[in-house]
Amino acid sequence: MCALLVTGTALTGCGEKDPDEGTNGVGRLPAEKIQAKTRKAAEAAEAVRLHGTVVTSGRTYTLDMRLKSDGGTGAVTAKGMKFQLMRAGKDLFLKADAGFWSHADGEGGSGGADAAAVEKLSGKYVKVPQGDPSYKKFSGFTDMDLLLDGLLTLHGELATDGHHEQAGVPVIRITGDKGSGGTLDVSLEGTPYPLRLVRAGSAGTLSFSDWGREFALKKPAGDEILDYGRQLPTS
């Protein structure tokens, strides 16, 4: 009679492949410990790329950002309008076309810029004043620690939900309240980084990649920058 092999906390029958064999082993842990390990791995990483959607205050943002501790760069789309963000240290730059600047509602609800300002702003990297309300709003998209701390949270009782695969990488899935509190896929290869997050309450889905992959944050050239000098039309 075929004996049962004890593997961690799982019982694997003879002839059945242990899904955690050859992995980093986090799949054998309870959900609470998996979450603790993946958060620790994310916090220790020097860089990451995240892309997907985030719903906040009733508005959907599509993000494709590369982030590290001192800034980030990438694209954000909201209400069909796409703009580029780049932050190096405390210097934040925003680049968008005429449609963004002249939008009737303004990205932040102010009514948009007048025709002269639109022509001046379009296609330029606009330096966002630190005292402008837009600075806090947009710089948050470039803040790796702030984003990860706010995003990598599941709500409710944690549990594991089997072995899956993301972009060819085996993962263990953990859930909050059986999925209604969100789901998080954690890599079973190498460092247990989070690879995919489905936020609670249909608040967006994000994928994470290029963990620890360094990239250069280079400020735009001087002739590409426009210092608007007063409150932006989007604030």
Side-chain angles (χ1 to χ4, degrees):
M1 181 177 292
C2 181
L4 291 176
L5 303 177
V6 179
T7 312
T9 59
L11 294 176
T12 305
C14 187
E16 296 180 11
K17 183 180 179 181
D18 176 8
D20 292 302
E21 183 179 355
T23 71
N24 56 24
V26 297
R28 298 188 176 106
L29 301 176
E32 291 82 0
K33 289 189 176 181
I34 297 173
Q35 184 182 52
K37 281 185 172 291
T38 198
R39 287 189 69 96
K40 184 176 180 180
E43 290 168 359
E46 295 183 357
V48 66
R49 178 188 175 193
L50 63 86
H51 55 95
T53 58
V54 173
V55 181
T56 180
S57 300
R59 180 169 292 179
T60 300
Y61 295 92
T62 300
L63 311 179
D64 188 355
M65 302 294 300
R66 298 192 69 186
L67 307 169
K68 57 183 181 178
S69 61
D70 59 344
T73 183
V76 180
T77 303
K79 297 177 70 174
M81 295 178 296
K82 185 176 182 179
F83 54 97
Q84 304 287 325
L85 290 174
M86 202 286 285
R87 182 177 64 84
K90 293 183 178 180
D91 293 332
L92 175 67
F93 302 92
L94 184 153
K95 182 179 180 181
D97 61 16
F100 174 89
W101 295 112
S102 61
H103 188 255
D105 295 328
E107 215 293 317
S110 69
D114 58 33
V118 166
E119 184 177 356
K120 185 179 180 182
L121 296 167
S122 180
K124 289 284 189 178
Y125 280 99
V126 179
K127 188 173 182 180
V128 183
Q130 291 185 39
D132 191 295
S134 294
Y135 184 90
K136 182 178 181 180
K137 176 180 180 179
F138 291 137
S139 64
F141 291 126
T142 66
D143 191 322
M144 179 175 172
D145 292 337
L146 180 66
L147 277 175
L148 293 181
D149 185 58
L151 292 172
L152 296 179
T153 301
L154 300 178
H155 302 280
E157 184 178 356
L158 298 182
T160 56
D161 186 27
H163 293 70
H164 302 268
E165 188 175 288
Q166 287 296 334
V169 178
V171 298
I172 182 71
R173 180 167 296 166
I174 56 176
T175 65
D177 276 349
K178 299 181 179 180
S180 63
T183 68
L184 185 65
D185 289 351
V186 179
S187 176
L188 289 174
E189 288 186 352
T191 305
Y193 289 123
L195 297 186
R196 185 174 183 267
L197 169 72
V198 179
R199 301 182 72 204
S202 301
T205 300
L206 286 165
S207 295
F208 304 88
S209 59
D210 294 342
W211 286 102
R213 182 173 294 180
E214 180 61 30
F215 64 96
L217 270 178
K218 186 178 180 181
K219 293 182 182 180
D223 59 353
E224 296 179 298
I225 298 175
L226 175 66
D227 193 340
Y228 195 62
R230 59 187 177 91
Q231 185 169 308
L232 297 184
T234 56
S235 57

